Amino acid sequence: MNRQKSVIRKQMRTLRFIMWDVLGIALIVWGAVRLGAVYDSLPDILPRAHGYSAIEGKERLWLNVILAAVIYVLLTAAECFPQIWNLPFQPQPEQEDKIYEALHRLLHAEKFTAVLVLLPPVPLPETVAAAGVLLPFAVLGYYMRKIYRIKKSK
C-alpha cells in the first residue's frame, strides 16, 4: 500500500509541476500579447520617473518579455540537470533525496516568481511592483532555510 501511495504522490508532483510550467508559459505569452495589443497606442518615448534610461523608447518594454522568457528557459534547463547544482555543503547520503527535491522545488518556484515580477498578469501600482522585486529573494530565503533544516536533521 505504501508503494502505491508513493507512486501516486510522485505522479501528482509531476502533474503539479507540469501545471505550474503551463501557467508560467501562459503568463509569458499573456504578457507578450498584452504588450502587443497596446504597443501601437503607446507614445514613442516613455516618461521615466527616475531620470535617464539607457533605453528610452517604447521598445524597452519588450525587454521584460524577453528577459522573463530567457530566465524561464535558463531555470528550466538548470532544473533538468541536477548534476550541475552546487551546494555550500556536502549532503549526507540519507539526506540527498530530500535536499535535491527541495532544490528542484526552489528552481521551479523561482522561475515562476521571476515571470510574476517581470510580467504581472494585471497592472500593479508602483509600490506593489517595487515590493514584488523582493519576492524572488523571499522564495530563495524560504527554500534555503528548508534545505539547511534538512541538513541539520539526522
Side-chain angles (χ1 to χ4, degrees), residues 32-50:
V33 167
R34 192 176 66 180
L35 179 59
V38 298
Y39 189 75
D40 289 335
S41 65
L42 293 173
D44 288 335
I45 296 179
L46 298 172
R48 298 286 294 172
H50 305 290

Side-chain angles (χ1 to χ4, degrees), residues 64 111-121 124 129-136:
N64 284 357
K111 65 184 181 180
F112 188 75
T113 55
V115 171
L116 278 178
V117 169
L118 290 170
L119 299 171
L124 299 173
V133 172
L134 299 176
L135 183 62

